[in-house]
Amino acid sequence: MADHTTAAPPVLSIRDLRVSTCGREPVEILKGVGFDIAPGETVCLVGESGSGKSVTSLVTMDLLPQGELCATSGSVKLNGEEILTATPARTKTLRGSDMAMIFQEPMTALNPVLKIGLQMDEVYRAHRRMSPAERRQAALEVFASVHLPDPPRIYDSYPHQLSGGQRQRVMIAMALALKPRLLIADEPTTALDVTTQKQILTLIRELQEQQNTAVLFITHDMGVVADIADRVCVMRHGEMVESGTVEEVLSRPTQLYTQALLRAVPSLTPRKPRPEVTGTPAIEVNALEKVFQIGSLAGQLMGRAPHRVHAVNRVSFRLAQGRTLGIVGESGSGKSTVARCVLRLEDPSAGEIRIDGQDIARLRAGKALASARRRVQMVFQDPNRSLNPRLRIAESMIEGPLNLGESRASALGRAGELIEVVGLPRTSLQRFPHQFSGGQRQRIAIARALMMDPEVIVADEAVSALDVSVQAQVLELLADLQAKRNLAILFITHDLRVAAQICDEVMVMRRGAVVEHGPAAEVLAHPRHDYTRSLIAAAPGRDWDFAAGRRLEVLT
Amino acid sequence: MTTPAYPALPRRRFARNLPHWTVILSLVVLAAALAMAVLAPQLANFDPTRINAAMRLQPASETYWLGTDSFGRDLYSRIIYGARVSLVVGAGVAAGAILIGLPLGLLAGWFRGIDAVLMRLMDGMMAIPGILLAIAIVALTKAGLVTVIIAIMIPEIPQVVRLVRSRVLAARAEPYVEAAQLLGTPAPRLILRHLLPATIAPLIVQATYIYASAILTEAALSFLGVGIGTETPTWGNIMAEGRLYFAMRPWLVFWPAIVLSLCILSINLLGDALRDRLDPKMKGRAE
């Protein structure tokens, strides 16, 4: 995208960098990584979890965890100065003034008990000789430059008083306060909504152009790469698999791994719709409402009205067997609350939830609810936490059937079959959750849901925590199971690409209400509502066709 | 491109796998205390209750290693026997407080209705100073080992309940607990299988602190004269009696005080070490 001059000396130059764990049996984490970043250039490090992209950034910042990881050979030069041999005092000075970093989670990167202004002040106090008044003035100017509304108010706010996007803007303001030559951004938008992500990416690009900063951008999202990178380095298992300009790598990948990675990116173009199914829907929701009341008992006694939040406002839908309904929306849209009401993890305030004709919205806890629950099962977002870490896989899987009175032997027999259906060996049953990877655990969670022989599966961001290639496999497994078992799937996601690939129908939610609902091909290709349009416009890499490997000409 | 001088740090890594020296020292002290309690008849030189009017307030000598008290009883033997009461009181209080507090905490954490009532009751109990409550209970009933254990235990219960409840509240938000609900697991089984294990590690640590504080409270009760009678020697009542002769024979107070302090210090250090070991966050660091 940017036409940088190759003549300028690189800001960051990494050569044959090797990092391994310390200790008696060192394991090599980085196996000879090298690249340059010129001023004003954006280099994207892409790779799946465990590929060593974050370790590369930590070495550059000289922030490797002491006594656990050490750089064994190679060189990392910032403006020609060697980082690996520099003293801790020297790298401390360099951090902030010459290089800065933005982290993934802006809430944990900011100190929750100090006001934003004070934390910003610290940056100047540590690196510059300025009077308090000058420091405050400088901070307000930087806040304004990252387009934060009302800088004086932000200055006097605590981190929790800001939105996620605002916090990330503050982090960027801090990182760029001293006009560093190099900015390292480690998945800076992963925790943000798409529309916010779009704004943050634009902001980084804009500041980069103003200050001619070199940016090392770490991401797992190929869409983001297509949007912002000048050059791309693909990493896998600590090695550099492929590197080149963004056009080269994305349109003519030479390595099989890069090709597979690009193929795994779901297309934004909706897949062909399946034929409509008539008859009684597997699940029917009518005018569902959920109101959360926030207020203390003491406050109520004193006549204070509790604060009411309308999380779900008159949501209705029907879902036939064998079909998939996607609920998409940003955080706070109420999509997860709908799912939790359907599962009766939350009690709905009003409305009906009919499973095969039976209304479960009013069932009280106990026998009736337990048998109704069998028919709706869930696959959770985080496979690391949805399985009890202290129980063997077999125990987790047969828990439900045993509750329904099935004998242990027959439940174990079915568990053995199902674990093979989801693509894991039977011996997995005797192992513990931590012995599996994230994708494998998600397969186990699916198998556990299937043990109940459900009619409806609710998948709440079920693939959001997984790498793209694993994501594709899990989605394939779900589609396969759906076809074989005639399952109705309620798929909650923020990712329009995933929604486009697996949903028959899509329902777009915003602030608890449905803004648009219809066949996926219709909603995603010809959105009627402005909000749907802005969501689609913000999807990263939407002007890049990953399957064909070229930029799309027509932008609707 | 030369290899930078980056020394690996094997020492720190190695040290992490060994308990800290304070832990080893604590274990030694506690093993000694346990030996004193179990082997008291073998270790003691005299019957700790034998009164010998001719040998009152003797200084330390070859016969009386730590001297004698105002009744001519051997101080060394009395301290050895005193370990029995202290260790039994500590164990009894810790076990009792957990046996009662754990189920209450589990119920309060899971059932919101029970929570509202039970926790207000616990708040009320916590508002009464523990030692005053213990004195009142012992004063109202006959002083004896069991009464003392119960009296010390009651003020400890709210803390156990609070701890267990907070762990349950954290665990019930875990997706695997919600998954169990969806699988139709009834509340009792869900609590025992998915919530109870999450409370065990912090409870073990809390138990060590209760143990130490129970020994201290028992000594305080004995010192105030409302605890176990002087016919059974405890570190507390030895100090209480020695106090009268403090100006003449300060070691009558110092010796039991030293033994008591060492034990408490060791138990607390051990609790700290256990907390670090059992904390899943610290475990993550070591890997």
Side-chain angles (χ1 to χ4, degrees):
Chain A
M1 285 186 224
D3 51 335
H4 53 275
T5 45
T6 39
V11 174
L12 179 71
S13 171
I14 296 182
R15 287 287 171 275
D16 190 37
L17 177 65
R18 286 169 192 277
V19 171
S20 51
T21 56
C22 312
R24 269 163 287 179
E25 289 164 32
V27 178
E28 204 154 61
I29 306 288
L30 285 187
K31 302 159 186 162
V33 170
F35 56 88
D36 286 344
I37 310 180
E41 189 185 31
T42 301
V43 170
C44 269
L45 281 186
V46 261
E48 306 199 318
S49 42
S51 61
K53 15 182 231 303
S54 290
V55 173
T56 310
S57 70
L58 290 178
V59 179
T60 311
M61 293 293 284
D62 193 29
L63 288 174
L64 278 184
Q66 276 223 337
E68 285 171 30
L69 292 177
C70 5
T72 49
S73 79
S75 96
V76 176
K77 285 199 170 137
L78 180 74
N79 297 325
E81 184 175 347
E82 180 62 58
I83 298 286
L84 294 184
T85 48
T87 60
R90 177 63 188 151
T91 55
K92 193 177 169 202
T93 319
L94 287 175
R95 281 196 294 270
S97 64
D98 285 68
M99 53 182 172
M101 190 155 176
I102 320 172
F103 296 90
Q104 176 173 352
E105 190 38 79
M107 190 67 216
T108 49
L110 288 168
N111 186 336
V113 298
L114 294 182
K115 286 185 180 168
I116 300 286
L118 206 71
Q119 300 186 49
M120 190 74 206
D121 201 50
E122 228 174 357
V123 177
Y124 292 113
R125 253 198 333 234
H127 293 279
R128 295 276 188 278
R129 276 164 194 253
M130 293 163 89
S131 72
E134 282 170 345
R135 292 202 297 262
R136 187 184 154 88
Q137 191 53 41
L140 293 180
E141 276 166 23
V142 181
F143 285 159
S145 77
V146 296
H147 307 305
L148 276 166
D150 196 0
R153 182 182 65 82
I154 300 282
Y155 193 90
D156 286 319
S157 302
Y158 288 98
H160 70 264
Q161 294 171 315
L162 307 182
S163 71
Q166 286 175 334
R167 283 196 287 262
Q168 199 58 292
R169 279 170 199 271
V170 168
M171 286 306 298
I172 293 173
M174 282 186 186
L176 296 181
L178 304 173
K179 301 203 180 347
R181 303 279 309 278
L182 173 68
L183 175 69
I184 299 178
D186 190 350
E187 305 260 9
T189 56
T190 308
L192 304 175
D193 284 325
V194 270
T195 47
T196 322
Q197 162 167 299
K198 181 93 180 167
Q199 293 161 7
I200 296 287
L201 292 179
T202 315
L203 174 68
I204 292 178
R205 175 57 86 185
E206 182 189 317
L207 294 171
Q208 177 183 25
E209 272 162 19
Q210 279 169 18
Q211 304 185 0
N212 206 24
T213 318
V215 175
L216 175 59
F217 200 100
I218 295 171
T219 183
H220 67 279
D221 189 336
M222 281 296 179
V224 173
V225 174
D227 278 355
I228 64 151
D230 295 317
R231 283 195 298 124
V232 183
C233 300
V234 182
M235 291 187 66
R236 186 195 198 187
H237 303 323
E239 281 173 87
M240 199 93 109
V241 176
E242 186 162 3
S243 69
T245 66
V246 66
E247 304 283 336
E248 277 168 15
V249 174
L250 293 194
S251 35
R252 292 179 300 280
T254 53
Q255 299 297 314
L256 283 176
Y257 178 69
T258 318
Q259 289 164 6
L261 210 56
L262 289 171
R263 252 201 320 277
V265 180
S267 163
L268 259 176
T269 321
R271 63 129 201 248
K272 283 205 184 76
R274 287 184 287 199
E276 290 272 349
V277 183
T278 45
T280 19
I283 180 165
E284 182 176 1
V285 170
N286 286 323
L288 182 71
E289 296 206 20
K290 175 70 194 174
V291 179
F292 288 105
Q293 294 207 349
I294 304 159
S296 64
L297 184 65
Q300 270 170 300
L301 289 176
M302 277 155 42
R304 240 178 298 159
H307 182 55
R308 290 158 64 93
V309 179
H310 226 117
V312 176
N313 198 354
R314 299 191 66 79
V315 168
S316 306
F317 60 85
R318 309 161 63 122
L319 178 59
Q321 285 191 342
R323 287 175 72 83
T324 304
L325 168 67
I327 304 184
V328 297
E330 301 192 290
S331 50
S333 62
K335 56 187 195 304
S336 286
T337 313
V338 170
R340 294 176 63 83
C341 285
V342 168
L343 293 157
R344 285 300 308 276
L345 287 172
E346 299 283 357
D347 295 329
S349 309
E352 286 182 327
I353 300 166
R354 292 191 177 277
I355 308 286
D356 246 359
Q358 186 200 2
D359 186 7
I360 64 160
R362 296 273 158 270
L363 291 181
R364 303 296 303 165
K367 274 256 154 58
L369 183 58
S371 70
R373 264 184 172 159
R374 177 193 70 76
R375 300 191 270 176
V376 192
Q377 285 299 312
M378 183 175 189
V379 180
F380 291 84
Q381 171 172 10
D382 187 349
N384 300 334
R385 292 168 63 197
S386 65
L387 294 165
N388 188 336
R390 296 178 186 85
L391 297 182
R392 287 179 199 279
I393 303 303
E395 294 301 320
S396 283
M397 280 186 67
I398 64 171
E399 182 167 354
L402 292 189
N403 290 333
L404 292 174
E406 189 172 341
S407 80
R408 203 181 155 80
S410 112
L412 275 175
R414 286 204 300 127
E417 283 163 29
L418 275 173
I419 202 92
E420 284 180 351
V421 167
V422 299
L424 291 172
R426 230 167 236 265
T427 47
S428 312
L429 290 180
Q430 293 316 310
R431 295 162 73 188
F432 286 96
H434 68 261
Q435 293 170 301
F436 295 92
S437 70
Q440 288 172 324
R441 268 182 271 199
Q442 203 59 303
R443 285 168 189 270
I444 295 167
I446 292 171
R448 176 177 63 180
L450 291 179
M451 285 295 284
M452 301 297 276
D453 210 8
E455 284 138 43
V456 181
I457 287 207
V458 178
D460 189 356
E461 301 278 8
V463 295
S464 305
L466 306 174
D467 284 326
V468 259
S469 57
V470 184
Q471 190 173 36
Q473 292 162 12
V474 172
L475 288 176
E476 207 170 293
L477 172 69
L478 271 178
D480 190 38
L481 292 169
Q482 177 175 40
K484 280 189 192 138
R485 295 172 167 253
N486 212 17
L487 292 166
I489 298 183
L490 189 60
F491 201 93
I492 319 286
T493 183
H494 69 280
D495 190 337
L496 290 174
R497 290 177 178 278
V498 170
Q501 287 321 299
I502 70 152
C503 297
D504 300 293
E505 282 175 61
V506 168
M507 193 163 93
V508 182
M509 285 187 71
R510 182 198 196 184
R511 293 192 207 125
V514 177
V515 299
E516 195 162 355
H517 182 183
E522 199 62 31
V523 174
L524 295 176
H526 311 289
R528 292 218 191 85
H529 197 279
D530 283 344
Y531 180 67
T532 317
R533 256 178 245 140
S534 71
L535 272 187
I536 294 174
R542 75 180 194 111
D543 57 345
W544 188 275
D545 184 343
F546 287 94
R550 58 187 166 81
R551 252 174 229 293
L552 298 171
E553 309 292 318
V554 200
L555 298 177
T556 42
Chain B
M1 308 299 157
T2 49
T3 309
Y6 251 66
L9 297 167
R11 239 187 84 235
R12 237 181 102 185
R13 183 101 191 150
F14 179 65
R16 206 175 276 163
N17 295 327
L18 260 186
H20 199 251
W21 62 269
T22 52
V23 176
I24 297 172
L25 214 61
S26 307
L27 285 172
V28 171
V29 170
L30 291 178
L34 193 66
M36 275 159 72
V38 175
L39 303 173
Q42 283 76 38
L43 289 173
N45 297 338
F46 292 93
D47 177 352
T49 55
R50 202 190 66 174
I51 294 174
N52 186 346
M55 290 292 171
R56 292 179 67 232
L57 296 172
Q58 291 291 311
S61 64
E62 277 191 17
T63 331
Y64 303 107
W65 291 357
L66 300 178
T68 60
D69 67 5
S70 54
F71 292 93
R73 295 174 296 198
D74 179 38
L75 182 60
Y76 165 72
S77 306
R78 284 180 74 75
I79 288 176
I80 294 281
Y81 273 91
R84 288 188 157 181
V85 173
S86 292
L87 296 189
V88 167
V89 167
V93 170
I98 285 171
L99 275 178
I100 297 173
L102 177 61
L104 290 180
L106 288 172
L107 291 176
W110 187 253
F111 297 103
R112 308 307 298 157
I114 296 181
D115 186 47
V117 179
L118 189 70
M119 291 326 285
R120 296 299 80 75
L121 195 72
M122 291 298 143
D123 287 346
M125 279 173 73
M126 282 177 104
I128 306 168
I131 190 117
L132 276 188
L133 189 62
I135 290 173
I137 293 169
V138 176
L140 288 174
T141 52
K142 235 176 116 244
L145 189 62
V146 178
T147 340
V148 166
I149 288 177
I150 292 173
I152 300 173
M153 180 179 76
I154 288 173
E156 298 283 356
I157 292 173
Q159 297 189 27
V160 177
V161 175
R162 280 219 161 272
L163 176 75
V164 172
R165 172 178 170 272
S166 75
R167 294 296 302 187
V168 171
L169 287 182
R172 66 180 285 163
E174 287 288 321
Y176 68 81
V177 175
E178 292 190 336
Q181 272 175 279
L182 292 178
L183 295 172
T185 307
R189 199 181 310 163
L190 196 143
I191 291 172
L192 289 183
R193 209 169 183 213
H194 296 286
L195 298 178
L196 177 68
T199 67
I200 295 300
L203 261 189
I204 291 175
V205 176
Q206 185 69 21
T208 63
Y209 295 134
I210 294 178
Y211 200 114
S213 110
I215 293 178
L216 267 184
T217 312
E218 183 278 321
L221 288 179
S222 296
F223 187 81
L224 293 171
V226 290
I228 295 160
T230 50
E231 65 281 359
T232 314
T234 77
W235 294 336
N237 63 29
I238 298 171
M239 280 190 273
E241 287 186 336
R243 184 175 55 114
L244 301 172
Y245 305 93
F246 187 71
M248 284 166 63
R249 294 269 178 270
W251 288 100
L252 281 180
V253 174
F254 285 163
W255 278 119
I258 288 169
V259 176
L260 178 70
S261 313
L262 271 179
C263 277
I264 304 297
L265 183 66
S266 302
I267 295 171
N268 281 338
L269 284 174
L270 207 62
D272 275 349
L274 271 176
R275 189 194 55 207
D276 292 352
R277 267 293 151 102
L278 296 175
D279 188 344
K281 279 181 216 140
M282 307 296 278
K283 215 183 272 173
R285 278 186 56 82
E287 271 165 14

